[in-house]
Amino acid sequence: MIITVAFMVFLAFGIPIAFVIGLTGLTHMLLTGNYTFLQNVPQRMFVAADNFNLLAIPFFMLAGELMNYGGITIRLINLARTLVGHLKGGLAYVNIYTSMILSALIGSANANASAMSKTLVPAMIKDGYDKEYSTAVTAASSIMGPIIPPSMTMIIYGVAAGASIGQLFLAGIVPGILMALAFSVLTFYYARKRNYPYKKRRAPVRSILKALFSAIPALLVPIIMMGGIISGVFTPTEAAAAASLIAFVIGAFVYRELKLKHLPQIFLSTGTITASIMLIVATANIFGWVLAIERIPQAFAEWMLSISSNPIVVLFMINILLLVVGAVMETFAAIVILVPVFLPIITQLGIDPIHFGLIVCLNLVIGLITPPLGVVLFVTSAINDISVERLTRAIVPFILASIIVLFVVTYLPDMVLYIPRMFF
Amino acid sequence: MSKLSTLINQLASYIVIVSIFVMTVVVIVQVFCRYVLGFSIFWSEELARYLLVWTTFLGGSVAYKKAQLASINFLAEKLPARPRALVGILAQIMALTFIVVAAYYGFKQSFSPSVTMQVSPAMRLPMTYAYLAVPIGFGIIMIHSIENLYKHILLALKGNEVAG
């Protein structure tokens, strides 16, 4: 209990989350008088960071940065625009589907949200959409980023649960498409209700072909990546490294927007963003270790299974719990700390860890757009200069739509596991 | 202190840039060798992993210096200037506790017999070089953090003068 209070206080004081988690673990060691545990602090962090699977994080990050500098993002938006721009509320659909394609290139909601905020939100406002809706649709669609492969969140889940990252990636495809559909239904409704603008004419076939042709090299990146993982040519980490190489070649030699002088900046920001994720993973490992020593996961499993041993009920309880956790806690820390806590329950109930991975990821990414601490809310509200309060009101329908998708995914495991079963 | 902090940060940034570059190249070359040339570079995975460890802790110090580490600031920002400075000082001191523990025990561990005697399986590199990433990274974070603390104290004192 004291630990929970300490955690909240550290957090409220504005200490970086990575240190908050480490400090909470440290507080527990000091309170229980286990001073010998202190020497495990660096040890646990080292072990957490020393992981070949986690190398995929800097590589996917690098690929994303290279694609941004190389002009790949813009070409994808153009393609989506020629395809669905003529529908009523066209730019909102463009936003959702560009985000979906972008999610197949970069694995992080924040990167997705900021790329889209800079490019598409100004265009939407210029076309007469209100700022609330434009920002809300951008923020909401960005959470497809960690669901549609590749995904940083799933890499970290895979490492924490010892599950196949390749299978997790494949399992994300159907839920990702479901989210895009759910958001499209919302857009369809609002576009009619609020009479959102649209282009009278469908884009001519020639310009569609032109946009498609110019986007083909960009679309190669996810195809080679997923193809490589499915066929077993690459591990996910190697696929990510290959993706960076392809993104570099396309940006530098095909689109010719990426210059050699950009590289140090790209490498540095890749390094610092990677480090800020990895530090959280590292310190969360201290905290997780403390929990394991105290046998908290076992106690928690016993408690939960004493309430019910029906998978439907247990999954319902876990969903509610994770939605709350996702709204107040950093995603990666939540995974590293909580997955080992839930895993005994999941195994006991015979739930597939890949299916459970999708449930965990969906819960936590919904937290990214849920107040009070949804990171994506803060990122998009800062870039688009709109208050978090106004944005929150506009985003509530999207949160509800995502929760519906979450429950569909929770109770239809076969749908989620259909694609991974085809290949593995 | 401020100069030291800036200088070290520049150095750390260069190392991070090189480290990201090398780890990417090593993994790509490894895949190329395996499929095209038909042999494996047995030390590539290990090198890439240790570079990731160094990137984590050195890059962490760069991210800390740039205030890029995720944190929740909106509560403290609602406070008036002087209490805010005090909260800042307290937060720095609390964070420093963790940073010092990580750095101190990190050094102790890096030079403990069980680590110095150990070499990495593929490269035969003493494990001390890998483990040192933790204390060196946190050592640098400590320097930045002390500088931050100093700035916060100055800020609090200034607030005092204005108020008095």
Side-chain angles (χ1 to χ4, degrees):
Chain A
M1 225 19 9
I2 300 173
I3 290 299
T4 323
V5 176
F7 178 80
M8 296 296 189
V9 171
F10 297 148
L11 211 57
F13 270 37
I15 299 175
I17 294 170
F19 299 157
V20 167
I21 299 161
L23 200 51
T24 312
L26 191 66
T27 311
H28 184 271
M29 293 176 191
L30 296 178
L31 284 178
T32 50
N34 286 317
Y35 300 119
T36 47
F37 285 179
L38 290 182
Q39 60 200 24
N40 290 300
V41 167
Q43 161 75 15
R44 298 321 300 175
M45 286 198 280
F46 178 84
V47 170
D50 180 22
N51 187 308
F52 188 72
N53 284 324
L54 292 181
L55 260 175
I57 293 174
F59 295 156
F60 280 128
M61 210 62 99
L62 180 60
E65 290 276 310
L66 288 167
M67 284 187 269
N68 259 339
Y69 274 86
I72 292 178
T73 324
I74 294 294
R75 284 169 176 84
L76 292 174
I77 294 177
N78 284 342
L79 174 64
R81 204 168 182 163
T82 53
L83 286 176
V84 288
H86 63 281
L87 299 174
K88 195 160 199 163
L91 275 186
Y93 293 112
V94 172
N95 194 325
I96 296 169
Y97 291 99
T98 310
S99 234
M100 199 171 125
I101 303 172
L102 214 55
S103 300
L105 300 167
I106 50 184
S108 118
N110 272 333
N112 193 326
S114 61
M116 297 294 289
S117 293
K118 282 172 201 151
T119 46
L120 208 55
V121 174
M124 285 178 77
I125 292 170
K126 209 174 108 199
D127 266 22
Y129 292 82
D130 49 292
K131 207 178 204 179
E132 286 84 356
Y133 183 77
S134 316
T135 313
V137 78
T138 305
S141 354
S142 77
I143 69 170
M144 287 187 282
I147 300 300
I148 292 174
S151 151
M152 311 287 164
T153 314
M154 286 193 199
I155 294 168
I156 291 174
Y157 174 86
V159 169
S164 150
I165 293 169
Q167 284 191 46
L168 283 166
F169 277 4
L170 290 175
I173 296 174
V174 173
I177 293 172
L178 280 183
M179 286 174 96
L181 289 178
F183 296 156
S184 301
V185 170
L186 274 182
T187 298
F188 182 81
Y189 170 74
Y190 282 120
R192 263 153 193 74
K193 196 176 140 202
R194 299 189 189 150
N195 211 4
Y196 280 139
Y198 58 98
K199 296 239 168 5
K200 291 283 178 301
R201 265 178 340 113
R202 191 180 257 282
V205 177
R206 257 187 65 171
S207 61
I208 294 181
L209 284 179
K210 214 177 133 204
L212 181 66
F213 187 71
S214 118
I216 281 177
L219 293 171
L220 275 180
V221 182
I223 292 171
I224 294 178
M225 210 156 53
M226 286 314 290
I229 295 177
I230 291 169
S231 62
V233 173
F234 298 139
T235 62
T237 301
E238 290 167 349
S244 329
L245 178 67
I246 302 165
F248 172 75
V249 170
I250 292 170
F253 302 113
V254 181
Y255 296 152
R256 298 191 182 178
E257 288 181 24
L258 182 68
K259 300 280 179 290
L260 221 53
K261 63 168 196 275
H262 295 145
L263 286 183
Q265 182 51 44
I266 292 175
F267 286 139
L268 183 61
S269 65
T270 301
T272 50
I273 300 170
T274 302
S276 51
I277 297 175
M278 289 292 291
L279 266 189
I280 289 175
V281 173
T283 55
N285 197 40
I286 304 174
F287 193 77
W289 179 75
V290 170
L291 291 184
I293 293 273
E294 298 288 324
R295 302 183 57 79
I296 304 280
Q298 289 84 346
F300 182 78
E302 257 169 47
W303 173 75
M304 202 155 216
L305 293 173
S306 76
I307 298 177
S308 168
S309 57
N310 180 338
I312 296 175
V313 179
V314 172
L315 281 178
F316 184 81
M317 291 194 291
I318 291 181
N319 272 340
I320 300 298
L321 194 75
L322 279 176
L323 281 174
V324 175
V325 168
V328 295
M329 202 164 161
E330 205 281 331
T331 315
F332 304 129
I335 292 177
V336 177
I337 296 170
L338 289 180
V339 166
V341 174
F342 287 134
L343 223 48
I345 306 176
I346 296 312
T347 353
Q348 208 161 339
L349 293 179
I351 295 164
D352 190 304
I354 303 289
H355 176 217
F356 187 62
L358 259 298
I359 296 177
V360 170
C361 291
L362 267 172
N363 270 301
L364 296 177
V365 298
I366 293 172
L368 295 176
I369 52 167
T370 311
L373 299 181
V375 189
V376 171
L377 282 185
F378 289 109
V379 170
T380 48
S381 82
I383 298 178
N384 301 313
D385 191 27
I386 169 177
S387 76
V388 176
E389 286 79 13
R390 275 169 63 203
L391 176 57
T392 301
R393 267 194 296 274
I395 210 164
V396 167
F398 289 96
I399 298 177
L400 295 177
S402 316
I403 292 179
I404 294 173
V405 173
L406 165 69
F407 277 94
V408 170
V409 164
T410 305
Y411 293 118
L412 294 176
D414 288 331
M415 187 188 66
V416 178
L417 297 172
Y418 181 73
I419 298 183
R421 275 178 192 150
M422 276 192 326
F423 295 102
F424 285 97
Chain B
M1 202 66 190
S2 163
K3 260 189 189 158
L4 179 68
S5 159
T6 313
L7 189 75
I8 290 188
N9 186 49
Q10 227 147 41
L11 191 67
S13 306
Y14 286 129
I15 299 177
V16 168
I17 292 172
V18 174
S19 158
I20 293 281
F21 176 70
V22 174
M23 71 166 88
T24 315
V25 169
V26 159
V27 172
I28 291 172
V29 169
Q30 150 73 9
V31 175
F32 183 77
C33 285
R34 194 171 65 217
Y35 285 103
V36 182
L37 306 179
F39 69 92
S40 265
I41 314 173
F42 62 96
W43 45 263
S44 68
E45 180 187 322
E46 195 179 279
L47 176 62
R49 271 194 289 118
Y50 293 156
L51 285 174
L52 176 65
V53 174
W54 275 93
T55 303
T56 299
F57 297 100
L58 280 186
S61 81
V62 178
Y64 177 79
K65 173 81 180 170
K66 288 188 182 169
Q68 274 180 353
L69 290 180
S71 64
I72 290 156
N73 293 319
F74 65 91
L75 288 172
E77 272 165 11
K78 289 215 166 84
L79 294 171
R82 248 180 80 195
R84 192 169 64 204
L86 287 177
V87 164
I89 293 174
L90 269 177
Q92 286 297 333
I93 293 174
M94 290 192 287
L96 260 172
T97 332
F98 175 70
I99 295 164
V100 169
V101 166
Y104 172 76
Y105 285 97
F107 271 115
K108 219 172 137 182
Q109 185 196 24
S110 303
F111 294 109
S112 72
S114 65
V115 170
T116 47
M117 308 284 281
Q118 200 187 348
V119 292
S120 69
M123 294 184 291
R124 317 296 301 163
L125 195 77
M127 283 303 283
T128 305
Y129 292 118
Y131 275 93
L132 266 178
V134 179
I136 289 184
F138 273 95
I140 297 174
I141 293 176
M142 190 172 78
I143 293 171
H144 296 330
S145 174
I146 291 172
E147 203 224 334
N148 268 346
L149 180 61
Y150 177 70
K151 273 189 197 155
H152 273 103
I153 293 176
L154 278 188
L155 216 68
L157 289 178
K158 229 192 261 102
N160 243 343
E161 274 163 26
V162 173

